[in-house]
Amino acid sequence: MFRTHTAGSLTSAQIGKKVSLAGWVHTRRDHGGLIFIDLRDRWGIVQLVFNPKANPAVHGQAEKLRSEFVVRVEGEVRRRPAGTENPKIPTGEVEVLAEALEILNESPTPPFEISGSDVISEDLRLKYRFLDLRRPDMQESLRFRYELTRIVRDHLHSLDFIEVETPDLTKSTPEGARDFLVPSRLTPGAFYALPQSPQLFKQLLMVSGFDRYFQLARCFRDEDLRADRQPEHTQIDLEMSFVTEEDIMNVVEGMTADIFEKLLQKKIERPFRRIPYEKALARYGSDKPDLRYEMFLEDVTELLKGSEFKIFNEVIEGGGKIKALVFPTPAGSELSRKDFDELTTHLQALGAKGLVWFKVKREDEVESPVAKFFQAGQIAALVKKLAARPGQVIFIVAGPDPGASILLGALRTHLAERYPLIPPGRFEWTWVTEFPLLEWSEEEKRFVALHHPFTSPREADEPLLGEAPEKVKARAYDLVLNGTEIGGGSIRIHKRAVQEKLFRALKISAQEAEEKFGFLLKALSFGAPPHGGIALGVDRLVAILRGKDSIREVIAFPKTQKGTCLLTDAPSGVSPRQLKELHIKPA
Ligand code: ASP
């Protein structure tokens, strides 16, 4: 038997017992005679003591131990001498007096300390991920992630869902990103695509009568990895038959409440809020509003009409909007000219023409380089409408809308991240609903689906698909947590004729539709039930709940922003023979 106990499990209950343990040398302290080793395994750390008087041979062996050596130890558990207990660790009352030691493997000095709290460069961590994952924080992140997925599985199982695996080698699906392609050896010149999501397969499973499906599905999207993205991510993917939006939302809320209660011992308020898409843009300047703080956007177009400020007048004449928000200026966050310049530059980089600010002095007096262009009455009315108090700052962005709102929304989140406006430990959920079905793509000069092209239009809007596609609302919903989109889904089109109509609105020809989605169209014509579903991003959810800034912190083997794996060096070249087999000419 390798071991009788795990290192992290020893307590005073084992005092006097002979135990054997196995694990890694976490730290080693030589106290002129006595050697103390913290022995680590997945369950924690326990102190070993090597006493030269009690057991000189074993002590001699222990002198050779270095960090991250792997050992097996036998010894007796005893109470630590009074005053030397360590209340910070669960095993802190006891120690093991070593009687036998076996070195199972050695290790060179690791490139960073596993036991330390130093900031380590991420590249180094990714290169030596197998060591990085030994760090207790990473162990906890992966354990937490596993617990979360287990709760999800149990929860969905209790609701009679079944998990079905769908293929990874498949046909291109249109979630809107670029596909990863895999050349086929057996069909020269043909390619599989890695799935961007199991979307079409889960719909087919509904046609097949499975009614309630889920999967912890890996999804592949070949995007430029701006922001915090990965080329492959995991989602909780689900689909149900004979349901409305309410049913899907109910399942998701129940599941998230279960996760919160079991993992964070927190109750969450249900039902979650619902904000229509247009209101989200108008009020928060974002379709994923962060509700942890206020700073709402207000439309002040009417109020600022007829000033001497040319820029605003031009915007108003052009049909644009003037949008304002109040920065509440928390104590110690008074903004200087330099701050205003920086905020302006920040917003200009995002595409704003400029940023107007008014520092409120009194109800009818503000400080601003452009104050002189406005009538005193206008300023007073502005301060009043926004309920801005002395010391606070009014920020204004003018332009075509929703562009202006989106820019001001970006300022809203920037201010919240930079100044202390977000209450710690707060989780604010909301659904965003009533999305448009389609949006105009300037690049492609055609309408494209805002979610994906299998999303059902609102029944009443269906006739508009032909003549006014931009007016059609979707039966779609996004789930947002703290300003981050955690998931999205919809009620799907379940009738072939409607699906064909939507393809026409998207300028997908009948021939192309047949080539790409013929199997779906066929399935829809064979008695497809009404159905709908959603997918939630596991990586993002775990990262937020663990308070991590990056999803790389909660993925065992992530890739860099350039899509490379520093551990394995993927992607990498392959042999000419492999290329030949795949009918690919070397570059
Ligand atoms: N397939 C969608 C996605 O992965 C989610 C859904 O509509 O269920 O984004």
Side-chain angles (χ1 to χ4, degrees):
M1 201 168 43
F2 243 104
R3 57 185 170 191
T4 56
H5 294 77
T6 57
S9 68
L10 296 182
T11 63
S12 51
Q14 280 86 35
I15 287 174
K17 278 217 169 94
K18 298 270 186 213
V19 296
S20 46
L21 306 169
W24 287 263
V25 174
H26 193 58
T27 58
R28 171 180 183 279
R29 296 179 303 281
D30 205 328
H31 282 192
L34 290 182
I35 294 175
F36 293 96
I37 299 285
D38 277 350
L39 181 76
R40 184 189 73 237
D41 66 13
R42 214 193 94 192
W43 291 270
I45 282 170
V46 75
Q47 175 166 291
L48 312 176
V49 189
F50 295 84
N51 186 332
K53 290 199 189 107
N55 203 329
V58 177
H59 180 270
Q61 272 180 296
E63 281 181 331
K64 295 196 205 96
L65 294 180
R66 295 291 174 270
S67 286
E68 301 309 309
F69 275 31
V70 190
V71 295
R72 181 173 176 277
V73 171
E74 287 172 20
E76 187 180 314
V77 181
R78 63 175 197 191
R79 187 175 295 284
R80 288 198 197 190
T84 66
E85 300 91 349
N86 180 358
K88 286 199 205 119
I89 57 172
T91 62
E93 271 184 84
V94 297
E95 60 190 11
V96 176
L97 186 60
E99 290 161 8
L101 171 70
E102 191 183 342
I103 298 179
L104 300 171
N105 212 344
E106 299 188 351
S107 168
T109 307
F112 47 81
E113 256 187 299
I114 310 300
S115 59
S117 53
D118 292 353
V119 180
I120 314 159
S121 97
E122 194 179 19
D123 279 4
L124 197 61
R125 287 178 55 199
L126 292 179
K127 188 165 174 196
Y128 289 93
R129 191 61 156 182
F130 49 90
L131 294 179
D132 188 40
L133 291 175
R134 282 187 192 167
R135 296 192 305 118
D137 188 52
M138 289 307 293
Q139 294 257 323
E140 177 53 19
S141 282
L142 291 196
R143 193 199 63 82
F144 186 96
R145 181 182 176 118
Y146 166 68
E147 287 297 336
L148 184 139
T149 53
R150 199 170 63 90
I151 294 166
V152 165
R153 283 201 165 93
D154 287 350
H155 190 90
L156 293 176
H157 173 77
S158 77
L159 297 177
D160 237 351
F161 280 77
I162 69 165
E163 183 163 14
V164 181
E165 290 156 274
T166 54
D168 277 351
L169 292 177
T170 179
K171 217 173 146 84
S172 176
T173 60
E175 298 293 346
R178 196 177 293 115
D179 285 320
F180 278 104
L181 297 175
V182 180
S184 160
R185 181 177 59 84
L186 297 175
T187 314
F191 293 82
Y192 300 99
L194 301 182
Q196 293 186 33
S197 87
Q199 184 61 35
L200 295 176
F201 288 106
K202 66 175 172 174
Q203 289 192 237
L204 294 180
L205 288 169
M206 295 305 103
V207 179
S208 305
F210 281 95
D211 206 310
R212 292 176 175 208
Y213 139 96
F214 85 98
Q215 183 180 190
L216 286 162
R218 193 56 70 80
C219 302
F220 305 86
R221 301 182 188 179
D222 188 4
E223 295 172 295
D224 293 329
L225 304 180
R226 307 161 268 114
D228 190 22
R229 297 261 176 92
Q230 285 284 305
E232 47 184 314
H233 72 268
T234 308
Q235 62 188 30
I236 305 163
D237 194 60
L238 59 92
E239 198 76 5
M240 303 170 79
S241 294
F242 307 112
V243 287
T244 63
E245 292 85 330
E246 294 298 320
D247 297 297
I248 306 281
M249 290 176 172
N250 231 325
V251 166
V252 171
E253 290 186 13
M255 185 173 78
T256 35
D258 203 13
I259 294 172
F260 265 59
E261 259 169 55
K262 297 203 169 113
L263 271 181
L264 304 180
Q265 288 76 47
K266 267 192 199 307
K267 278 224 175 297
I268 43 182
E269 249 178 71
R270 291 179 56 193
F272 296 171
R273 263 184 275 196
R274 289 179 199 184
I275 305 181
Y277 171 76
E278 271 170 30
K279 187 171 171 201
L281 285 184
R283 200 113 173 91
Y284 304 90
S286 168
D287 60 1
K288 27 185 185 297
D290 194 335
L291 306 182
R292 286 174 299 172
Y293 50 92
E294 296 196 335
M295 282 202 288
F296 305 123
L297 277 51
E298 298 281 352
D299 185 343
V300 294
T301 318
E302 279 305 312
L303 218 152
L304 295 184
K305 257 186 188 159
S307 73
E308 308 279 304
F309 195 47
K310 256 186 43 210
I311 299 171
F312 281 8
N313 294 340
E314 279 166 20
V315 166
I316 297 171
E317 275 155 33
K321 282 198 173 146
I322 303 181
K323 302 281 307 236
L325 66 73
V326 178
F327 174 60
T329 318
S333 306
E334 284 75 24
L335 303 181
S336 65
R337 279 289 170 130
K338 190 165 156 262
D339 295 320
F340 288 125
D341 289 347
E342 272 174 25
L343 292 170
T344 307
T345 313
H346 174 78
L347 225 53
Q348 278 168 336
L350 299 175
K353 292 247 161 60
L355 175 66
V356 168
W357 54 267
F358 295 105
K359 216 172 192 172
V360 180
K361 296 267 162 212
R362 289 202 317 259
E363 279 127 51
D364 55 352
E365 194 192 327
V366 294
E367 178 196 324
S368 165
V370 302
K372 56 179 182 277
F373 298 116
F374 298 88
Q375 300 134 26
Q378 272 181 322
I379 297 285
L382 180 72
V383 173
K384 184 157 177 228
K385 177 172 168 115
L386 299 174
R389 288 194 302 276
Q392 302 189 330
V393 179
I394 299 172
F395 283 105
I396 298 188
V397 172
D401 216 43
S405 297
I406 292 171
L407 286 165
L408 196 58
L411 181 71
R412 180 179 179 267
T413 35
H414 183 69
L415 289 169
E417 278 159 16
R418 190 163 150 170
Y419 299 98
L421 291 172
I422 305 179
R426 183 103 156 240
F427 295 101
E428 289 291 343
W429 293 93
T430 184
W431 291 102
V432 177
T433 58
E434 296 176 45
F435 284 90
L437 184 67
L438 307 168
E439 65 183 345
W440 180 254
S441 160
E442 247 330 296
E443 203 184 316
E444 298 183 42
K445 299 278 180 254
R446 64 174 186 103
F447 282 102
V448 293
L450 201 81
H451 279 84
H452 53 62
F454 315 105
T455 303
S456 175
R458 272 199 317 215
E459 210 175 331
D461 295 349
E462 232 180 78
L464 296 173
L465 264 180
E467 59 273 19
E470 70 284 357
K471 295 215 176 102
V472 179
K473 289 267 194 297
R475 294 183 70 184
Y477 31 80
D478 276 0
L479 182 61
V480 176
L481 169 60
N482 292 356
T484 298
E485 186 190 322
I486 289 290
S490 58
I491 299 299
R492 327 294 185 187
I493 295 170
H494 71 281
K495 290 202 170 137
R496 177 174 181 139
V498 181
Q499 187 65 68
E500 285 174 332
K501 204 167 164 187
L502 179 56
F503 285 154
R504 279 198 294 279
L506 292 168
K507 297 275 182 288
I508 298 177
S509 70
Q511 191 196 345
E512 194 184 346
E514 192 51 46
E515 264 167 36
K516 283 194 176 152
F517 312 116
F519 63 100
L520 175 75
L521 291 171
K522 206 182 295 156
L524 293 183
S525 67
F526 275 91
H531 60 285
I534 193 166
L536 312 183
V538 172
D539 311 295
R540 189 81 53 205
L541 184 58
V542 175
I544 296 183
L545 300 194
R546 283 275 296 146
K548 301 290 180 194
D549 287 337
S550 162
I551 59 173
R552 295 187 297 279
E553 293 295 328
V554 298
I555 297 174
F557 299 105
K559 298 191 176 54
T560 63
Q561 298 271 315
K562 289 208 177 99
T564 56
C565 172
L566 297 179
L567 175 72
T568 62
D569 275 338
S572 53
V574 294
S575 70
R577 193 174 133 221
Q578 281 173 299
L579 287 179
K580 196 159 168 234
E581 280 173 352
L582 293 169
H583 322 282
I584 293 175
K585 284 204 197 98

